[in-house]
Amino acid sequence: MTRHFLRDDDLTQAEQTEILDLAIELKKDRFSERPLAGPQTVAVIFDKSSTRTRVSFAVGVADLGGVPLIISTANSQLGGKETAADTARVLERQVAAIVWRTFAQAGLEEMAAGTKVPVVNGLSDDFHPCQLLADLLTIREHGGALAGRIVTFIGDGASNMAQSYLLAGATAGMHVRIASPDEYAPQEAVVADATRVAETTGGSVTLFNDPVEAVTGADVVVTDTWVSMGKEEEKALRLRRLGAYRVDEQLMALAHPDALFLHCLPADRGYEVTADVIDGRQSVIWDEAENRLHAQKALLVWLLARA
């Protein structure tokens, strides 16, 4: 049966660990796995602009012996004259896998239901699971084992990053805290799913309004832009309502002394995070950005050859 990666809880704890272990090995030897030798092609589709996703998948597919086919939906039939399911059936005859950076999660689910090749969520409005693999890899590199660690996400709790932290962190057995205003809380269904996962892994899920309470004692502090793609018209409102959730040195000082700071980028310095934090000694954002490459390569190897 074809496996897809549409949301973080598509993996069990053991599978997530296996992929992260493989990512560590691939980081040591970039060309040790060549499941796309031939070369085979991977379709990488973009509804949204991208830097890290575009570069890391293009380089990663090449490292694995394949050819990345970069497709912009602005120059294709997908979403216009052709459904996601029909597009998938066309592509599966010619490519080894499909990566899609899009808006609605439902589109990814439709595409995956209609194809026999793996479909990977390169980002959706609801989840950013490839980024979470990179984040977890970074935390492992700098902080050791994931299980039992306290990770606090501060800001827009309804964002794709916050919701992926809930699912991926729970899968890893971490204690996930989300600090946000009530109007930017995660979807109740996602919280419920993460809670169910945490019950099987020894992790936990807690929602906070108070960022001070949420960050106290944390091993990892995470934030993301307050104005995601598609939310630009809400900028003034979001800056006003999320202003108390800025990560600055005073807030970071409440976390564990060796706490890591992560941000998936791009960042708006002075808004969700101050420059002294994101460019400071606890920030590991450049390792995090690089690890998109290694984590996604490991994911593709796993989906194509080991799942």
Side-chain angles (χ1 to χ4, degrees), residues 36 39-44 61 65-70 91 94-98:
L36 293 170
Q40 299 181 68
T41 300
V42 174
V44 190
V61 169
V67 174
L69 174 61
I70 308 297
L91 291 177
Q94 302 173 66
V95 306
I98 301 168

Side-chain angles (χ1 to χ4, degrees), residues 151-159 162-163 165-166 176-186 205-216 218 220-224 226 241-247 251 272:
V151 56
T152 298
F153 182 96
I154 298 175
D156 181 1
S159 67
Q163 296 196 147
Y165 257 99
L166 283 168
V176 184
R177 302 173 178 177
I178 306 292
S180 69
D182 286 336
E183 60 266 39
Y184 296 114
V205 169
T206 312
L207 304 186
F208 294 84
N209 291 132
D210 182 1
V212 169
E213 185 180 3
V215 80
T216 299
V220 183
V221 179
V222 189
T223 192
D224 191 15
W226 292 340
R241 292 186 173 176
L242 291 166
Y245 294 82
R246 178 178 295 111
V247 181
L251 195 61
E272 73 271 9

Side-chain angles (χ1 to χ4, degrees), residues 44 52-61 68 99 120 130 296 300:
V44 190
R52 278 151 295 278
T53 300
R54 185 182 300 266
V55 173
S56 57
F57 269 112
V59 173
V61 169
V99 180
V120 174
C130 288
Q296 289 164 182
L300 287 173

Side-chain angles (χ1 to χ4, degrees), residues 221 223 247 252 259-263 273 277-278 282-285:
V221 179
T223 192
V247 181
M252 279 297 297
L260 305 174
F261 174 79
L262 280 78
H263 190 307
V273 60
V277 171
I278 195 170
Q282 292 170 280
S283 175
V284 290
I285 61 169

